[in-house]
Amino acid sequence: MLSPCCKKDSFVWYKSKSKSSNNVDVTCTTDNHDKPTLFKCKSCKLIFSEYYNSCFENSYTDVVDEKYIKQIPIKKINFELFFSKIKSYLSKDHDVLEIGSYYGILGSIIKSQVKSYIGLELSRHAANHARKNYNLNIVNETINKFFDRAALFDIIIMNDVIEHLDDPFKTLELIGKHLKPNGILIFTTCDMDAVVPKIMGGRYHWIMPMHKFYFSNTNLRYFLRINNMDLFKIKYDTKLTNIEYFFSKLSILFPNFKFIFQFFLKFNFLKKIKIKINLLDLNIYFAKKSKSLK
């Protein structure tokens, strides 16, 4: 199979034990963690899913994620942690675009700190929630359609989005063209060259059906550079979660020990405990539009 980015040969990096599906659940908080078959490009080392050529955009349009809404209090804490690491790059003079704004939590934090904020979100339900609850300017359309008429931005943000995109390479090209001079792209994703994904291989917990592409620091630097952006900083992205959610994920990864996790969750005081997780595999990437471009 040819790599979707550089059209070079690839090989099977992980062979799925599950059957391929024509109906992938793209909901953010889905419990379906069946591992898709993954391929790895021999040239750029990009890892991509068997679903890389499938179009997920229509599926995202219909997403209603009630489980995510219930988790908004802890999601907000996580986005505040994220904001604390990017706020030095934001100011009242900046026009900001967030691609994949979902239910509007990050937008609600950013809005008052910048000149203007636009959220781009495919899910009609999530877009309406963000407008109603946070009074955000949310555009409910595809990336390609939006950029056909969009102005330039000082800051573009994608939080845990690039791995979901149907065509992240085209998106990076459009972002490079729609950043102002010295504009900055800030985005998050996992680093497949980090220790944890290398050890876990196909069992890595961020490998799931709706994640189509898996990057490393090295190939991200390359993909940014060919789209006129220079990667100038990488920060670790610490996550905060509660024990209940953490144990639910462990139950998926280690089904033979599910009864142990369920036993501990009988104690309500444990469910309220929050923990910070940093396995040094999730990164925040900062890339600036190349100075050579106008």
Side-chain angles (χ1 to χ4, degrees):
M1 180 178 291
L2 297 181
S3 166
C5 54
C6 55
K7 309 305 178 186
K8 301 291 180 64
D9 287 337
S10 64
F11 61 92
V12 176
W13 185 77
Y14 170 76
K15 180 64 177 177
S16 176
K17 299 175 183 176
S18 305
K19 290 184 179 180
S20 299
S21 172
N22 293 324
N23 298 303
V24 174
D25 183 358
V26 297
T27 306
C28 178
T29 54
T30 180
D31 290 327
N32 177 15
H33 283 204
D34 290 340
K35 308 297 186 184
T37 294
L38 298 178
F39 303 86
K40 187 170 184 177
C41 176
K42 293 180 179 179
S43 177
C44 71
K45 312 304 180 186
L46 175 77
I47 296 173
F48 57 98
S49 165
E50 62 181 294
Y51 300 116
Y52 82 95
N53 210 23
S54 301
C55 180
F56 287 176
E57 286 186 356
N58 292 337
S59 299
Y60 281 112
T61 299
D62 298 325
V63 163
V64 176
D65 198 344
E66 297 291 351
K67 186 180 291 187
Y68 186 97
I69 293 174
K70 291 179 181 178
Q71 295 173 1
I72 280 180
I74 196 162
K75 297 287 186 184
K76 185 174 182 180
I77 296 173
N78 269 308
F79 278 117
E80 286 171 345
L81 281 172
F82 172 72
F83 176 72
S84 71
K85 294 184 178 182
I86 71 168
K87 64 181 180 180
S88 62
Y89 298 97
L90 303 177
S91 81
K92 289 285 189 178
D93 297 323
H94 286 158
D95 296 309
V96 175
L97 170 68
E98 182 188 5
I99 297 175
S101 52
Y102 215 37
Y103 283 87
I105 306 173
L106 180 58
S108 69
I109 297 170
I110 289 175
K111 181 182 176 182
S112 64
Q113 308 296 317
V114 298
K115 180 181 177 182
S116 71
Y117 168 89
I118 296 176
L120 187 59
E121 176 53 48
L122 283 174
S123 165
R124 290 188 293 264
H125 188 262
N128 289 333
H129 182 277
R131 294 185 190 111
K132 179 180 177 181
N133 291 274
Y134 304 118
N135 194 29
L136 293 175
N137 180 11
I138 306 294
V139 179
N140 183 215
E141 61 187 23
T142 66
I143 293 171
N144 290 349
K145 185 176 180 180
F146 174 78
F147 276 128
D148 278 344
R149 54 176 173 72
L152 302 181
F153 296 92
D154 299 286
I155 307 289
I156 296 179
I157 299 171
M158 294 192 295
N159 194 283
D160 297 342
V161 167
I162 193 169
E163 62 271 16
H164 294 256
L165 296 175
D166 284 341
D167 191 346
F169 317 105
K170 178 63 176 178
T171 297
L172 289 176
E173 178 186 346
L174 291 171
I175 288 172
K177 292 177 179 178
H178 285 83
L179 280 172
K180 294 179 183 179
N182 296 317
I184 294 175
L185 167 64
I186 303 172
F187 66 101
T188 64
T189 195
C190 59
D191 170 21
M192 294 301 284
D193 275 349
V195 173
V196 171
K198 278 191 170 182
I199 292 175
M200 297 189 71
R203 295 181 65 248
Y204 182 46
H205 48 281
W206 289 118
I207 295 174
M208 52 187 71
M210 78 289 289
H211 290 172
K212 301 173 76 170
F213 299 94
Y214 303 84
F215 302 90
S216 68
N217 293 352
T218 301
N219 57 35
L220 277 173
R221 189 180 302 275
Y222 168 74
F223 295 137
L224 289 163
R225 186 181 299 120
I226 64 175
N227 287 295
N228 306 310
M229 291 175 281
D230 295 320
L231 181 61
F232 67 90
K233 182 172 288 190
I234 301 173
K235 292 184 178 181
Y236 290 125
D237 188 15
T238 302
K239 298 291 186 181
L240 183 76
T241 189
N242 55 41
I243 290 292
E244 183 175 19
Y245 181 79
F246 182 60
F247 279 4
S248 70
K249 295 303 180 184
L250 288 179
S251 297
I252 296 170
L253 289 172
F254 306 104
N256 292 337
F257 298 96
K258 185 176 181 179
F259 71 98
I260 297 177
F261 304 130
Q262 290 178 335
F263 170 77
F264 283 114
L265 289 178
K266 292 180 180 180
F267 302 96
N268 287 328
F269 76 93
L270 284 177
K271 294 181 181 181
K272 298 177 182 179
I273 296 175
K274 296 180 176 61
I275 55 174
K276 283 187 178 182
I277 300 176
N278 188 341
L279 302 179
L280 308 182
D281 58 328
L282 301 180
N283 291 337
I284 306 172
Y285 295 91
F286 300 79
K288 182 176 289 189
K289 187 163 184 175
S290 300
K291 292 182 180 180
S292 59
L293 294 180
K294 301 288 186 180

